[in-house]
Amino acid sequence: MTQTSVKLTFEEYLTYNNGTDNRYELVDGELVMVPLPTGKHSDAIDLLAQVITSAIPQEQQGNWKVKRDVGVYVGVNPQTGKERSRTPDLTVLTSAQWAAIRADETKAAVTKTPPLLVVEIVSPGSKKTDYQTKEQEYKTIGVPEYWIVDLQNSKITVLQLVGNEYQASEFTGKQQIISQTFPNLLLTVQQFASL
């Protein structure tokens, strides 16, 4: 990830446009460019979006949205006092959250309330951020479920919020992924092997 020297508040970040299609996260008030995914990374996002969408409980079919490129406001860093916003690979939102985002087309698609699920696919340069920094950020704002998809190490870590802490479950090979948010999920790590 490439950090810029541009300093912004969260509100300025929501309307920032430098005339490019570059994607940025806001980290401690500074823009950090998020690189485009590799082909395998993109295919993994597609597979996850398809599987998660099909696992949405029947009673929630029209009410939950599986989205790419939707940011998540993760609050103020207590050490720096600066605001932060992340752009997960996939975000599952309620229809009310999506309606709030759609209500103002002049601002970037970022939810200020915790989504139902956040998925990050580990890139070589993002391992520490995905496993440590983002885990802490998502936990702090109360994201109920956070998945870390590690294609290099052929594993998926599902973190479920219990009280104020995440409980981690690691899945490999043909093990069925267990999700409280998606109890009907049919997914194994092995399904990513052919990507």
Side-chain angles (χ1 to χ4, degrees):
M1 292 190 197
T2 305
Q3 197 157 342
T4 70
S5 60
V6 178
K7 305 261 189 210
L8 301 173
T9 65
F10 177 69
E11 288 303 318
E12 291 168 334
Y13 167 72
L14 290 177
T15 57
Y16 179 76
N17 183 349
N18 66 355
T20 70
D21 288 333
N22 293 337
R23 297 180 330 145
Y24 297 94
E25 292 183 334
L26 184 68
V27 181
D28 297 331
E30 294 187 26
L31 294 178
V32 176
M33 191 168 75
V34 178
L36 289 172
T38 64
K40 185 173 184 174
H41 190 124
S42 181
D43 283 344
I45 296 169
D46 290 343
L47 173 63
L48 285 163
Q50 179 183 12
V51 170
I52 291 171
T53 299
S54 67
I56 292 176
Q58 193 62 37
E59 64 274 9
Q60 298 295 339
Q61 279 297 337
N63 298 323
W64 289 4
K65 307 290 182 193
V66 179
K67 293 291 183 182
R68 293 175 173 233
D69 298 328
V70 168
V72 177
Y73 178 73
V74 292
V76 175
N77 183 333
Q79 280 82 38
T80 65
K82 302 288 186 180
E83 293 179 290
R84 300 166 298 169
S85 183
R86 297 296 185 173
T87 307
D89 289 299
L90 280 180
T91 306
V92 180
L93 306 158
T94 66
S95 58
Q97 287 172 311
W98 185 240
I101 290 169
R102 290 293 311 263
D104 189 348
E105 290 295 318
T106 65
K107 293 184 178 178
V110 178
T111 182
K112 284 197 83 172
T113 57
L116 299 165
L117 171 69
V118 168
V119 178
E120 296 282 5
I121 298 173
V122 177
S123 299
S126 73
K127 193 169 196 157
K128 182 178 179 189
T129 302
D130 291 338
Y131 276 102
Q132 294 175 12
T133 309
K134 289 182 181 180
E135 177 181 337
Q136 184 63 42
E137 291 170 347
Y138 294 143
K139 177 177 73 171
T140 299
I141 66 164
V143 173
E145 197 164 309
Y146 170 39
W147 294 11
I148 304 170
V149 179
D150 192 334
L151 300 174
Q152 282 186 307
N153 293 307
S154 301
K155 68 179 180 177
I156 294 176
T157 305
V158 175
L159 297 116
Q160 296 176 331
L161 199 59
V162 178
N164 293 326
E165 295 297 325
Y166 274 135
Q167 303 262 322
S169 300
E170 218 172 77
F171 300 92
T172 60
K174 294 181 181 181
Q175 291 177 308
Q176 194 73 35
I177 307 299
I178 297 171
S179 164
Q180 289 179 353
T181 308
F182 296 98
N184 299 319
L185 187 74
L186 297 175
L187 181 67
T188 67
V189 176
Q190 187 175 20
Q191 288 173 256
F192 293 90
S194 62
L195 297 178

